[in-house]
């Protein structure tokens, strides 16, 4: 067989089979020439007319692949397959005249070709208990090249025997070797090949792929660096607040100590991740490791490529990931959803210690601080460009520089047009040492006794809307300082316009002076007249920045001061959960973008509305999985603050880049030039692409049975009902913004609307283990070009069962899988190699405790229960409930 660049296997020859009654060894000798690419060969073999060793004995046939180099005499065993499906059709119980799909084996040519001649021999052995073997059919699958659902039959006559060979190959991106983007993001792929009959007696060719993702470690490393940078900057801002009264200074020192401790933990976690080598994913047995808590569990791509009579080449991708949660921190006190709600309630009752600001105002203060860090350097650089244009006496450059400076300064001024800043400045003035012993009065309380004690005074300002007014504090001072920026800009604009007018009149009225003298004189005039105005603008901006930064830092300081240490602990937990969620999201975005580059409707929907991301959760509402569910719901909700930006790669490094801060992260995805050219102009220009995550959860295991009969499922119900509203809102946005450019969405509008109504009804219904919610949400997501995620505690048992069931449902509904083969197809996909589990020696999860632990783990030994008759009764009731759930 010879492999050409960007081409599948093309030639097969020299098929050799043993003579009648000989050893059951079939040899397929082929020559393979190595190319610049890194192709992969996938052998899917089937046999017919096999004989069993004894009556009523099942076939135990497999194909062994061995490799021999021309310079060597011995064979090296490379891989072997297994029987995955048998279709008995003969009347003789000892004969199987039907076809038995033996499975597949995949290997890289690069790993095999090592001789100088760059040639090798492949020997395929078919073994069947030492008995005679029948004809062999070798299928090398190349998706998208089969016409009318049938493959071309190439028949060769070797040693008097006929053997049919179906030439196909693996997916184009695996063959070409040019898709560096996917090779960068996904690693160690595992393939399986199936052929199932359709309802019209045609073949459905299915190629299943599972791959690890390098995002498991790449994204957490970048996030940890950003967390360290942000918290270090916050420490500096707290120190720059200046002198504070003893009460506030003690709180500040306490906050700084906790911040420095948290930064130290982040640095240790980053160092541990930098040291990590080996597998590019975290297995479930490592989910409790502190050093890997920012890394998602079992992050994989599960891809199914289908070629059938109905759809020639269809892709179905699902990202599987363990529940984004702080597993290493435990769930004794619940997850983020409960902890955050409890924290907000306690923060309102902190008494005299701090001033209460709502979460919205605290978030606004962080946004203003971020704007300061972004806009102040821009204003400084634009003023320098303006002066440089004046020095060069370039009218066009001067106009452009002035326009850019005006736009940036106006954004700067608008960002400070908020009453929160003036209120915070007043509050900060009360925290200065000079005001510590002054009389503070509450305008909302006329009956308050006059007290001089500092704690009593601070008790009066525990609410934001009851900040006292000091007689020596000028509330209009901030307005004057803030307005001076706009006035300075207006002076610069007026001066620039006058200089341009003078320049035009000078050119019209030439004097006897030489042109060089005129130019030097004009250059000096322009620069000298603009320079003092630029300095004034910079001084005004600096004064505004100083006051605004201190006041907003004081607002953020209040949240920290009144919630230590819970506030920073919750921040740390939220960072852990978000890191896991963002790693999966980045992986899903890249694979969706890569597979939809030629889908104009999707690309238009992407930059006008945003990306729909649908998470399917299989967690129960019992025991510690309640905490996981609470963590996961907050982590997925935080993905709304993420935006993607697509840029053209300038090198061979295609790894995404994360920038920003908490609640405002941006992920830059780099594409090769040829792929980047396929994007709409809006995306090329750098438009930010927003994310719309939705999360639906339905517990399906035995623990959920206990929760539904004896526990509480309100958390699951509220999550599903909230996310139905989010999904309906996204649908409305698509209908309003996309229809003209997305005829496909218009065609399916009625179907999606009906599915949404059905989903809404199911989330309101009180039905146990309502898996209809999962099917409806997944169908809507696929119809609306969304990205699918499936999660359970460890992304193993429940996740693999859900993914394989969904794949078979897709084959049935979209590709007309024969109804009699649905269960067989499901069993086939769930056989030994499902979810990448090859053998016991190859199982990456070997030695780990699976999700389906014995039910006895819920009970204490009977000897202990006999101590109390009440405990014995409880034990009997729970045992009965579990038995009923097991056999239901």
């Amino acid at each position: 067989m010879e492999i050409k660049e960007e081409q599948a296997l093309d030639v097969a020859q020299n098929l050799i089979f043993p003579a009648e009654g000989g050893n059951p060894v079939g040899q397929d000798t082929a020559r393979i020439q190595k190319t610049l690419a890194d192709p992969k060969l996938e052998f899917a073999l089937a046999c017919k007319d096999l004989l069993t060793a004894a009556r009523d004995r099942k076939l135990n046939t497999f194909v062994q692949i061995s490799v021999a180099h021309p310079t060597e005499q011995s064979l090296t065993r490379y891989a072997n397959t297994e029987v995955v499906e048998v279709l008995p059709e003969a009347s003789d119980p000892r004969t199987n005249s039907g076809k038995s799909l033996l499975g597949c084996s995949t290997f890289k040519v690069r790993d095999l070709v090592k001789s100088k001649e760059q040639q090798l021999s492949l020997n395929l052995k078919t073994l069947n208990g030492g008995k005679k073997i029948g004809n062999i059919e070798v299928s090398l699958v190349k998706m998208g090249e089969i016409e009318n659902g049938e493959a071309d039959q190439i028949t060769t006559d070797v040693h008097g025997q006929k053997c049919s060979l179906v030439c196909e190959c693996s997916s184009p991106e695996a063959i070409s070797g040019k898709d560096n983007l996917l090779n960068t993001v996904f690693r160690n792929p595992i393939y399986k090949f199936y052929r199932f009959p359709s309802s019209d007696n045609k073949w459905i060719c299915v190629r299943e792929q599972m791959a690890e993702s390098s995002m498991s470690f790449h994204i957490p490393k970048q996030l940890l660096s950003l967390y360290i940078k942000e918290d270090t900057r916050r420490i500096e801002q707290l120190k720059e607040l200046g002198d504070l009264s003893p009460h506030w200074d003690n709180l500040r020192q306490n906050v700084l100590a906790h911040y420095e401790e948290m930064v130290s933990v982040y640095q240790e976690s980053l160092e541990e991740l930098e040291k990590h080598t080996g597998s590019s994913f975290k297995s479930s047995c490592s989910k409790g490791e502190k050093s890997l808590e920012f890394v998602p569990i079992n992050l994989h791509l599960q891809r199914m490529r289908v070629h059938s009579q109905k759809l020639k080449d269809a892709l179905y991708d699902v990202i599987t990931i363990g529940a984004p949660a702080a597993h290493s921190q435990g769930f004794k006190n619940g997850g983020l959803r409960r902890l955050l709600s409890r924290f907000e309630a306690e923060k309102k009752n902190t008494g005299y210690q701090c001033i209460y600001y709502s979460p919205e105002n605290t978030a606004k203060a962080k946004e203003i601080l971020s704007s300061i860090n972004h806009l102040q350097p821009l204003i400084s650089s634009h003023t320098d460009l303006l002066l440089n244009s004046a020095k060069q006496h370039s009218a066009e450059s001067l106009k452009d520089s002035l326009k850019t400076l005006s736009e940036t300064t106006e954004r700067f001024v608008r960002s400070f047009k908020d009453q929160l800043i003036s209120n915070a400045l007043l509050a900060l003035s009360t925290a200065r040492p000079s005001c510590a012993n002054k009389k503070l009065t509450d305008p909302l309380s006329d009956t308050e006794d006059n007290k001089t004690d500092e704690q009593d005074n601070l008790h009066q300002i525990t609410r934001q809307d009851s900040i006292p007014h000091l007689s020596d504090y000028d509330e209009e001072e901030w307005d004057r300082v803030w307005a001076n920026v706009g006035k300075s800009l207006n002076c610069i604009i007026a001066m620039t316009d006058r200089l341009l007018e003078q320049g035009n009149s000078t050119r019209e009225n030439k004097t006897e002076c030489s042109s060089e003298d005129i130019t030097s004189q004009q250059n000096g005039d322009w620069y000298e007249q603009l320079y003092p105005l630029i300095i004034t603008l910079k001084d005004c901006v600096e004064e505004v920045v100083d006051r605004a930064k201190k006041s907003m830092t004081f607002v953020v300081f209040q949240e920290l001061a009144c919630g230590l240490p819970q506030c920073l602990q919750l921040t740390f937990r939220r960072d852990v959960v978000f890191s896991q969620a963002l790693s999966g999201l980045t992986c899903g975005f890249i694979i969706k973008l890569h597979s939809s580059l030629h889908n104009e409707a999707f690309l238009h929907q992407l930059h006008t509305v945003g990306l729909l991301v649908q998470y399917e959760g299989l967690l129960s509402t019992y025991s510690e999985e309640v905490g996981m569910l609470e963590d996961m719901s907050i982590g997925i909700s935080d993905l709304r603050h993420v935006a993607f930006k697509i840029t053209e790669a300038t090198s061979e490094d295609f790894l995404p880049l994360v920038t920003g801060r908490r609640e405002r992260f941006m992920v830059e995805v780099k594409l090769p030039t040829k792929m980047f050219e396929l994007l709409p102009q809006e995306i090329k220009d750098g438009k930010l692409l927003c994310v719309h995550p939705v999360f639906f959860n339905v517990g399906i295991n035995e623990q959920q049975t206990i929760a539904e009969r004896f526990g509480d499922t309100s958390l699951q119900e509220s999550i599903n009902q909230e996310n139905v509203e989010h999904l309906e809102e996204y649908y409305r946005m698509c209908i309003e913004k996309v229809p003209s450019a997305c005829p496909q969405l218009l065609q399916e509008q009625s179907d999606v609307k009906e599915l949404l109504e059905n989903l809404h009804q199911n989330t309101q219904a009180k039905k146990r283990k309502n898996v209809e919610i999962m099917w409806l949400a997944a169908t809507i997501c696929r119809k609306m070009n969304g990205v699918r995620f499936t999660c359970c505690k460890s992304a193993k048992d429940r996740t693999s069962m859900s993914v394989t069931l969904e794949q078979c449902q897709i084959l049935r509904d979209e590709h007309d899988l024969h109804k009699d083969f649905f269960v067989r197809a499901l069993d086939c996909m769930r056989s030994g190699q499902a979810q990448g589990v090859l053998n016991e020696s190859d199982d990456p999860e070997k030695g780990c405790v699976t999700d389906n632990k014995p039910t006895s783990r819920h009970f204490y030994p009977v000897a202990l229960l006999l101590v109390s008759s009440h405990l014995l009764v409880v034990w009997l009731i729970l045992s009965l409930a579990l038995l009923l759930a097991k056999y239901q």
Side-chain angles (χ1 to χ4, degrees):
M1 302 178 191
E2 182 179 4
I3 297 181
K4 299 180 180 179
E5 188 174 1
E6 296 185 0
Q7 198 171 16
L9 291 182
D10 202 12
V11 180
Q13 58 184 1
N14 300 331
L15 297 177
I16 303 174
F17 289 90
E20 187 77 16
N23 294 331
V25 175
Q27 294 184 339
D28 176 6
T29 304
R31 295 184 181 274
I32 301 177
Q33 181 175 354
K34 185 177 181 182
T35 66
L36 296 176
D38 187 16
K40 300 176 183 177
L41 307 184
E42 179 174 295
F43 288 86
L45 301 104
C47 297
K48 59 184 178 181
D49 300 327
L50 301 181
L51 297 178
T52 57
R55 184 180 296 274
D56 299 331
R57 182 175 177 181
K58 294 183 178 181
L59 291 171
N60 185 21
T61 309
F62 65 93
V63 176
Q64 177 179 314
I65 300 175
S66 300
V67 181
H69 295 283
T71 57
E72 300 177 359
Q73 300 297 326
S74 60
L75 293 175
T76 302
R77 179 174 175 178
Y78 188 83
N80 62 267
T81 66
E82 62 174 345
V83 176
V84 293
E85 182 65 25
V86 177
L87 309 177
E89 298 177 1
S91 57
D92 186 356
R94 293 189 58 196
T95 303
N96 179 7
S97 60
K99 293 184 179 179
S100 175
L101 182 62
L102 302 182
C104 69
S105 181
T106 305
F107 55 90
K108 296 180 180 179
V109 175
R110 180 189 61 192
D111 297 337
L112 301 182
V113 181
K114 297 182 183 298
S115 63
K116 294 181 179 179
E117 296 82 359
Q118 294 186 345
Q119 297 176 350
L120 55 84
S121 299
L122 297 181
N123 294 268
L124 308 183
K125 297 182 180 181
T126 49
L127 308 177
N128 185 26
K131 299 297 180 180
K132 175 183 176 181
I133 196 165
N135 297 330
I136 301 178
E137 182 178 310
V138 181
S139 298
L140 302 176
V141 180
K142 182 174 183 180
M143 309 303 295
E145 291 193 356
I146 303 178
E147 298 294 336
N148 300 324
E150 297 178 345
D152 296 334
Q153 299 292 325
I154 303 175
T155 305
T156 58
D157 189 358
V158 183
H159 294 281
Q161 296 193 21
K162 290 185 178 182
C163 177
S164 60
L165 181 143
V166 183
C167 283
E168 305 175 29
C169 194
S170 54
S171 65
E173 67 266 19
I175 294 293
S176 66
K178 288 188 174 181
D179 198 342
N180 296 326
L181 176 63
L182 283 190
N183 293 336
T184 301
V185 178
F186 298 102
R187 300 175 180 175
N188 303 325
I190 297 174
Y191 302 89
K192 291 188 69 176
F193 171 78
Y194 313 96
R195 284 200 309 178
F196 302 118
S198 62
S199 56
D200 56 355
N201 295 322
K202 300 291 184 179
W203 283 112
I204 302 174
C205 297
V206 180
R207 180 174 172 275
E208 190 181 30
Q209 171 187 347
M210 189 187 74
E212 304 168 9
S213 175
S214 60
M215 299 298 100
S216 295
F217 287 86
H218 178 69
I219 297 298
K221 289 178 184 178
Q222 295 189 75
L223 282 177
L224 282 169
S225 299
L226 293 174
Y227 292 152
I228 294 171
K229 182 179 179 181
E230 181 180 352
D231 292 343
T232 302
R233 186 187 302 118
R234 186 79 70 229
I235 291 174
E236 295 174 355
Q237 291 171 351
L238 288 172
K239 291 180 179 179
E240 292 172 357
L241 275 178
D243 294 335
L244 298 176
S245 65
H247 169 77
W248 292 111
D249 191 58
N250 290 335
L251 289 177
R252 177 170 59 177
Q253 296 303 322
N254 196 14
V255 170
L256 289 174
H258 282 84
Y259 251 129
E260 291 170 352
E261 181 180 354
M262 192 165 71
V263 169
S264 176
V265 173
Y266 285 142
Q267 291 173 340
E268 292 176 1
S269 298
L270 181 59
E271 291 173 0
E272 291 295 329
L273 294 185
E274 294 289 354
K275 296 177 184 177
H276 178 82
T277 57
S279 176
S280 57
F281 74 100
K282 183 176 79 172
S283 62
S284 60
C285 56
S286 303
K287 63 175 173 280
E289 291 187 15
K290 189 72 175 175
S291 60
L292 299 177
E293 60 184 338
F294 289 88
V295 180
I297 302 171
N298 277 337
L299 176 60
H300 288 85
L301 164 67
Q302 183 75 26
R303 164 170 284 190
M304 182 176 70
R305 184 185 290 269
V306 183
H307 183 95
S308 65
Q309 177 73 11
K310 190 173 181 180
L311 293 173
K312 294 301 181 184
D313 195 4
L315 277 178
Y316 303 94
D317 294 329
V318 178
I319 306 297
T320 59
I321 182 175
H327 298 275
S328 61
Q329 300 179 32
F331 308 95
K332 182 178 180 181
N333 298 318
L336 278 172
R337 190 181 178 103
R338 189 190 320 172
L339 293 173
L340 289 172
S341 176
R342 186 185 305 161
F343 173 72
E344 287 300 325
E346 293 175 351
K347 193 168 66 171
K348 295 179 181 179
N349 302 318
T350 52
Y352 67 89
Q353 288 190 354
C354 64
I355 303 171
Y356 173 77
Y357 288 93
S358 65
E360 292 77 16
N361 282 333
T362 303
K364 187 184 297 183
K366 294 177 181 178
E367 183 68 28
I368 293 174
L369 287 171
S370 178
S371 299
I372 292 173
N373 296 327
H374 175 66
L375 294 176
Q376 186 184 12
L378 286 180
I379 292 176
S380 178
S381 62
H382 293 331
T383 53
D384 293 340
L385 289 175
L386 185 66
L387 287 177
N388 189 41
S389 300
K391 185 179 296 185
Q392 296 177 357
H393 197 268
S394 173
E396 292 298 325
S397 177
L398 191 66
K399 291 178 182 179
D400 294 339
S401 300
L402 179 62
K403 181 181 178 181
T404 306
L405 176 63
S406 300
E407 293 174 352
T408 306
T409 307
E410 288 172 2
R411 287 172 53 197
F412 178 82
V413 172
R414 285 196 302 270
S415 64
F416 298 119
K417 192 177 181 179
D418 199 299
Q419 188 65 27
L420 176 64
I421 298 179
S422 58
N423 289 341
L425 284 170
L426 174 59
L428 178 60
S429 67
T430 65
R432 297 299 184 190
S434 58
C435 299
N437 297 319
K438 289 187 177 182
K439 177 181 177 180
L440 304 178
T441 59
D442 188 350
L444 301 181
S445 176
D446 296 334
T447 60
E448 187 71 33
D449 296 334
N450 294 331
K451 299 179 181 180
T452 57
D453 184 79
E454 181 183 358
Q455 293 185 354
D456 293 333
N457 293 333
L458 290 170
H459 178 70
Q460 298 175 21
I461 60 172
T462 56
R463 301 293 300 187
Q464 178 189 338
D465 54 2
S466 60
I467 296 177
H469 295 268
L470 297 178
S471 58
D472 58 348
Y473 179 76
D474 187 359
E475 296 184 33
E476 296 180 357
E477 183 181 1
W478 163 250
D479 295 333
R480 289 194 297 269
V481 172
W482 170 68
N484 285 339
V485 177
K487 293 178 181 178
S488 300
L489 177 64
N490 291 334
C491 292
I492 294 175
I493 294 174
M495 177 60 70
T496 304
D497 292 340
R498 191 173 68 182
L499 291 175
L500 292 174
E501 290 177 0
Q502 292 177 356
N504 293 332
S505 61
T506 302
R507 282 192 296 268
E508 294 174 357
N509 303 316
K510 294 183 177 180
T511 62
E512 295 180 356
C513 299
S514 64
S515 59
E516 294 180 358
D517 295 337
I518 294 174
T519 302
S520 60
Q521 182 180 0
Q522 290 173 343
N523 287 347
D525 291 342
W526 283 26
Y527 182 83
E528 291 174 1
Q529 294 187 52
L530 280 176
Y531 181 77
L533 299 178
I534 294 294
I535 295 299
T536 302
L537 175 63
K538 286 185 175 181
D539 292 340
C540 293
V541 169
E542 185 67 30
E543 187 175 1
V544 169
V545 165
D546 180 67
R547 292 172 182 263
K549 183 180 291 188
K550 289 180 179 179
S551 63
M552 294 299 95
T553 301
F554 190 73
V555 172
V556 177
F557 172 52
Q558 303 308 307
E559 181 185 46
L560 300 170
C562 64
L564 284 178
Q566 292 84 0
C567 180
L568 291 182
Q569 289 175 353
L570 288 176
T571 300
F572 183 82
R573 188 184 189 100
R574 201 165 187 169
D575 290 344
V576 169
V577 176
F578 180 79
S579 173
Q580 299 176 24
L582 183 60
S583 301
L585 175 64
T586 306
C587 174
F589 179 86
I590 292 175
I591 193 64
K592 181 64 179 180
L593 180 65
H594 180 273
S595 62
S596 305
L597 280 173
H598 297 280
N599 188 342
E600 295 182 2
F602 165 76
L603 295 176
H604 183 80
Q605 178 183 344
L606 181 62
H607 73 79
T608 55
V609 183
L611 180 69
L612 175 64
V613 182
Q614 187 253 325
Y615 287 80
E616 173 185 301
L618 305 170
L619 296 170
S620 68
T621 55
Y622 178 81
S623 188
E624 64 178 12
E625 291 195 10
V626 177
M628 297 180 196
L629 186 58
E630 292 173 338
D631 275 356
M632 187 175 176
S633 64
I634 296 297
I636 293 174
S637 178
D638 285 345
L639 295 178
R640 300 179 187 279
H641 305 301
V642 176
F644 285 90
K645 182 180 180 181
I646 303 176
T647 60
E648 183 178 1
T650 57
S651 65
E652 292 300 318
D653 181 13
F654 299 105
L655 288 173
L657 177 66
V658 184
T659 57
R661 60 173 182 83
R662 292 182 181 91
E663 302 178 0
R664 193 67 64 182
F665 283 109
M666 185 189 74
V667 182
E668 179 183 340
V669 177
K670 306 171 187 177
L671 291 185
T673 301
K674 291 184 179 179
M675 298 174 66
F676 186 77
E677 292 174 352
L678 300 174
L679 298 174
Q681 190 60 42
E682 293 84 354
I683 299 180
K684 290 181 182 178
D685 293 339
K687 183 176 183 180
L688 297 181
L689 311 175
C690 57
V691 178
H692 299 269
V694 292
F695 173 41
F696 296 93
N697 186 84
V698 176
I700 60 173
N701 61 355
E702 70 278 4
Q703 291 185 346
Q704 184 63 22
T705 304
I706 299 176
E708 289 176 343
R709 298 192 179 186
F710 306 105
D712 181 20
T713 61
S714 59
L715 174 62
Q716 175 177 284
E717 294 170 1
S718 61
I719 289 175
N720 291 341
Q721 291 168 7
E722 291 170 6
N723 284 274
V724 164
E725 296 178 0
H726 296 324
L727 189 57
E728 290 174 343
E729 178 62 25
Y730 181 82
Y731 172 74
R732 285 192 292 269
M733 293 170 61
C734 286
I735 297 303
E736 293 173 359
K737 298 181 179 181
V738 181
S740 59
C742 188
Q744 178 185 359
L745 190 61
L746 279 178
Q747 294 172 1
E748 297 181 349
Q749 177 178 350
S750 58
D751 295 339
V752 174
K753 186 175 182 180
E754 183 178 351
L755 290 170
L756 278 171
E757 292 174 354
N758 197 356
L759 178 62
H760 185 85
Q761 294 173 2
N762 276 274
T763 55
Q764 298 293 332
K766 300 292 183 179
K767 183 180 179 181
R768 294 177 178 176
K769 294 186 178 180
N770 191 358
V771 293
E772 188 77 5
I773 294 175
M774 299 287 95
W775 180 84
L776 289 169
T779 304
I780 293 171
C781 177
R782 286 194 297 269
K783 286 183 176 292
M784 300 189 70
N785 300 317
V787 181
R788 289 265 299 114
F789 287 80
T790 299
C791 318
C792 65
K793 182 168 70 173
S794 302
K796 292 196 305 181
D797 297 342
R798 281 173 279 180
T799 297
S800 61
M801 295 299 103
S802 175
V803 170
T804 50
L805 177 61
E806 179 182 352
Q807 291 180 166
C808 288
Q809 288 175 335
I810 291 173
L811 293 176
R812 179 193 62 193
D813 299 336
E814 304 293 337
H815 301 277
D816 297 330
L817 175 67
H818 198 289
K819 62 180 181 180
D820 294 337
F821 287 86
F822 181 86
V823 177
R824 293 188 182 185
L826 188 61
D827 293 339
C828 182
M829 289 184 175
R830 290 177 175 177
S831 62
Q833 294 183 13
Q835 286 293 296
V837 181
L838 300 175
N839 303 311
E840 183 179 359
S841 60
D842 299 325
D843 185 2
E845 299 297 330
K846 182 179 179 183
C848 301
V849 182
T850 63
D851 286 346
N852 292 335
K853 299 177 183 178
T855 55
S856 60
R857 71 187 186 279
H858 299 295
F859 311 114
Y860 295 101
V862 178
L864 295 177
L865 294 172
L866 290 177
V867 176
S868 171
S869 59
H870 298 289
L871 290 178
L872 180 60
V873 171
V874 172
W875 178 75
L876 290 173
I877 293 175
L878 292 178
S879 300
L880 180 60
L882 282 179
L883 289 174
L884 290 174
K886 181 178 180 181
Y887 294 103
Q888 186 174 3

